[in-house]
Amino acid sequence: MSTPAAEHVSIQRFHALASAIIGPDDHPWHASLAALLEAASRGVGSLPAPAGLADPPPCVVRDGDAILLPRTHAAWQRVRSCINQRRATPPPRFPHDLVARHLDHILPAQEYHRDPNGLIIDNSQQRLAAALLVDAPVGVLTGGPGTGKTTSAAALLALALALDADLQADAILVCAPTGKAANRLRQSLRSSAARLNLDARQTQIISSLRPSTIHSALGWTPKAVEDGGPWRHHGRSPLRQRLVIMDEASMADVELFAALVDALHPDSRLLILGDRDQLDSVQAGGVLAELVARGAAADLPAELADLLRQRCGAEAAQMWRKGLPPLAHSSQHDSLPGLAAGLSMSFRAMAAPWILRVAELVRPGSNANAEALRRCLRQHDDAQLRLLPTRQDTHLHCIQHWLALRQVSAQWHANQPPDNDQLQAALDQHQLIVVSNQQVQRANALGHHLLRVSGAALDIDPASILPQLPRLPAHARMHGPLWHGTPIILQANDRGLDLANGDIGMALGAGLGQPASVAVFPGRSDAPLPLARLSDYRSAHAITIHKSQGSEWAHVSIDLPAHAGDLLDRRLLYTAITRASQSLALHPSGNSLSDILDPAATS
């Protein structure tokens, strides 16, 4: 999100391009085209259609109440056409009684009661999602943080394997938009499968699945479109898999979505997972949000309501509605009832019930203002939610967590690395999330100084060491070698090492106070990697919100810059907050919360 003044300056740069495309500045569509070109440069695929203007030029497409560039509109049309065609010619459904019997075994109905709050969490929506989508030609599963999307997907996989004895691992494709999301999905699927009642075949197949990026699955090539590129798999050379599951769908732009649906085999089924309120892709996105809205725009038809009753019980149709956004009919695109299923009951809320309240306050579309969020933060236990008033308080809070990670790393060294579970547990404890790369560099410099100053000492008081750290300028950067115990993040994919951009690991040396020489990453059973073998990495004492997407930590600290409204909106703040599973500490500099949550009042 940017200020009106900044947007005006940016749009001015595109007026010359608009003039070159449609003519002089007095053309009625000139200003709208310049604004659309500027928005596209920021990854925004559409803008509201201008009032009073009809008959757009060929370089602008009107799509309902929006205007788009032709290339973006063509990709949207390919996605919509695929969804409509597949729903129009669905494959035969499995017998309802057979689905119900296998579902009751794989994912038995369960309820959790929490006293004295009376909080009830059950898995009805997870069971419903698996039952509704297991034999659908295309389906969408959406849900907020900790609602069990991956568990539902694992249950659906197991159910499909139970119902189809011919389905094997090589006929299943599990993918995500980024390498980091794919690696995270691999871990999540295995842990989710462990919570289900699976037979040996189901366990073996689900455990053997290796999620990939969508680019890798489609086979990206440098060929131009006119030469048959850029994908090896497309409509004339489709994917061979019969079941395709795509996770973190909000991160996929519309053209990548279109490439995937183009490449689907005519007999394959597609399951799309994601949080409709989470951060969109860097390029033009919004596909997941539209599909969820269309899936929720009408009540279930009688045949699907009857299907859910036979597979999940008498109350299933009502439960389906509760998991989705409110009924909102739209004339722009046809409703697709039954396309989407939603999860609204957060299992994470059992450990951190505040997450539901805070997420609801900042969720896109919420009317809650900055004062409502501050009041919520003040009313909760500091151990769960903490409002950090100053940057020094933020530094002290983060130093406590960084020293805890350093203490854990003291038991490891380059020749005695941690096992996978130990490393994953250590790295999953805490993360500082910021907005800009400048904040990342400053936090990394502070963490670097902390490890250098603390040396080989084991027990350190965070309050006593803070005065020893320098007051870093805004543009501070770390200098010198990495120290033992430094968390690091990869900045590029490395297929040879099976590592992805955004993967977080740890640098190790001979011990505390010593320079690091190797790196270890969760999920890799090989020996530690020499740092020189890694092509592009940096410290991960802090990461940006975009880098945090798709991850989860027990404790999250968020540092908002004074003018966050220039860089943030509700969707970004929601994404940052919902990375936490146990506690959250928030430092809102200046009027940052008002800039984000009350933009009209601060503009």
Side-chain angles (χ1 to χ4, degrees), residues 378-443:
R378 288 193 295 263
Q379 288 174 350
H380 279 79
D381 181 355
D382 277 353
Q384 295 179 323
L385 284 177
R386 182 177 300 180
L387 194 62
L388 301 171
T390 70
R391 178 144 285 116
Q392 181 158 344
D393 293 319
T394 306
H395 287 167
L396 181 59
H397 179 78
C398 290
I399 285 169
Q400 291 172 333
H401 284 286
W402 293 341
L403 286 175
L405 179 61
R406 173 188 172 278
Q407 186 83 358
V408 172
S409 75
Q411 61 187 307
W412 309 323
H413 55 73
N415 294 323
Q416 187 180 332
D419 65 33
N420 184 73
D421 291 341
Q422 291 172 326
L423 180 61
Q424 188 73 64
L427 293 174
D428 282 350
Q429 281 302 298
H430 172 259
Q431 185 62 59
L432 170 61
I433 299 177
V434 297
V435 176
S436 67
N437 282 322
Q438 179 180 310
Q439 288 180 287
V440 169
Q441 292 165 1
R442 193 168 187 272

Side-chain angles (χ1 to χ4, degrees), residues 1-66:
M1 191 168 82
S2 58
T3 63
E7 273 190 15
H8 177 74
V9 171
S10 182
I11 291 173
Q12 290 299 314
R13 300 168 183 164
F14 288 87
H15 275 275
L17 182 57
S19 297
I21 295 173
I22 61 173
D25 292 2
D26 59 359
H27 190 288
W29 277 87
H30 186 279
S32 296
L33 176 58
L36 185 57
L37 292 168
E38 188 277 334
S41 73
R42 295 182 285 111
V44 177
S46 64
L47 290 177
L53 289 183
D55 301 323
C59 55
V60 178
V61 179
R62 187 188 292 271
D63 186 47
D65 297 328

Side-chain angles (χ1 to χ4, degrees), residues 87 203 384 429 518 585:
R87 282 177 57 87
T203 300
Q384 295 179 323
Q429 281 302 298
V518 302

Side-chain angles (χ1 to χ4, degrees), residues 45 62 153 157 216 226 247 377 422 475 529 576:
R62 187 188 292 271
L157 270 171
S216 177
E226 55 269 21
D247 194 21
L377 293 171
Q422 291 172 326
H475 293 276
L529 295 166

Side-chain angles (χ1 to χ4, degrees), residues 91-104 127 130-136 159 163 302-313:
R93 292 276 188 175
F94 293 115
H96 300 327
D97 58 340
L98 200 59
V99 174
R101 179 160 58 84
H102 285 299
L103 182 62
D104 285 343
R127 286 169 45 83
L132 177 66
L133 304 178
V134 66
D135 46 6
L159 191 56
L163 294 164
E303 63 271 18
L304 287 182
D306 183 60
L307 175 148
L308 284 180
R309 278 193 295 270
Q310 293 191 57
R311 294 182 175 186
C312 297

